[in-house]
Amino acid sequence: MNKLLDETLSIKIAEHINSRASTPFDNAYKAALSTERARYIQGFLAFAGKPYRPIEHSWIELGEGSDVTIIDPTLPHLNKNPQELWYFAAQRLTVKKLKAIIEESKEDYPEDDPLPIYGDPPYEYYGDVMLGGQDYLAAYQAAEAKCREINELNPERN
């Protein structure tokens, strides 16, 4: 079941944080810091058309249980119909945990960008990239299956 994407709030927050097209992880980080009770989410985004495979992405979520809303601060830059986007979460972090990881990463690896966050090894392989653990692999495979499904169902859009 795809959670509800709040298009209006996504655009409002994108404007508030001055989101940029090529930085979904930074956009979600800034959005999480500026939004009460937000959780920072990393995972994959599936949609019809190129690149015909999931893209690694980040967003925030608000709410609890079955009443969770997705806020995507990169949405204005995606140039996709919001009803045709599917989000597959691999990792959820509270703002407190997110800040602690970023702080530690900057201290331990000052030359590296602290985002995205992949957790502890061992990592699993998917595609041509080594990232994340078992949760990442499961999210990637679910997003990959959705990409196949929607691209086979809508060949005229490809």
Side-chain angles (χ1 to χ4, degrees):
M1 173 92 192
N2 205 27
K3 295 174 183 162
L4 181 65
L5 172 65
D6 187 325
E7 183 179 357
T8 303
L9 192 51
S10 293
I11 293 168
K12 182 179 175 184
I13 290 175
E15 290 170 355
H16 175 72
I17 64 165
N18 296 316
S19 76
R20 297 188 329 241
S22 61
T23 60
F25 301 101
D26 288 335
N27 294 342
Y29 174 68
K30 291 174 188 172
L33 295 180
S34 70
T35 308
E36 272 191 53
R37 294 184 297 282
R39 283 176 308 287
Y40 171 88
I41 314 297
Q42 282 182 192
F44 298 92
L45 185 60
F47 49 84
K50 292 180 181 178
Y52 305 107
R53 59 180 168 71
I55 60 169
E56 194 171 16
H57 197 65
S58 191
W59 59 94
I60 64 173
E61 289 181 353
L62 299 173
E64 297 294 329
S66 61
D67 190 30
V68 173
T69 301
I70 292 172
I71 311 299
D72 186 347
T74 309
L75 180 66
H77 309 289
L78 295 175
N79 300 316
K80 300 283 181 190
N81 179 342
Q83 287 75 40
E84 296 176 354
L85 297 173
W86 288 268
Y87 293 81
F88 295 87
Q91 178 170 220
R92 290 178 170 83
L93 299 170
T94 64
V95 170
K96 183 178 178 180
K97 177 81 171 165
L98 176 64
K99 284 179 176 179
I101 291 170
I102 296 293
E103 189 175 302
E104 183 180 338
S105 296
K106 285 181 176 178
E107 189 176 295
D108 292 348
Y109 306 101
E111 66 284 350
D112 294 337
D113 189 345
L115 293 171
I117 298 165
Y118 294 115
D120 299 323
Y123 297 129
E124 298 290 333
Y125 287 88
Y126 56 81
D128 296 329
V129 184
M130 180 185 82
L131 301 172
Q134 194 60 43
D135 291 343
Y136 261 87
L137 182 62
Y140 180 81
Q141 289 171 337
E144 190 176 44
K146 186 64 174 181
C147 281
R148 274 194 308 273
E149 173 193 329
I150 57 182
N151 284 303
E152 287 171 4
L153 290 175
N154 301 305
E156 69 279 356
R157 288 200 196 147
N158 301 329

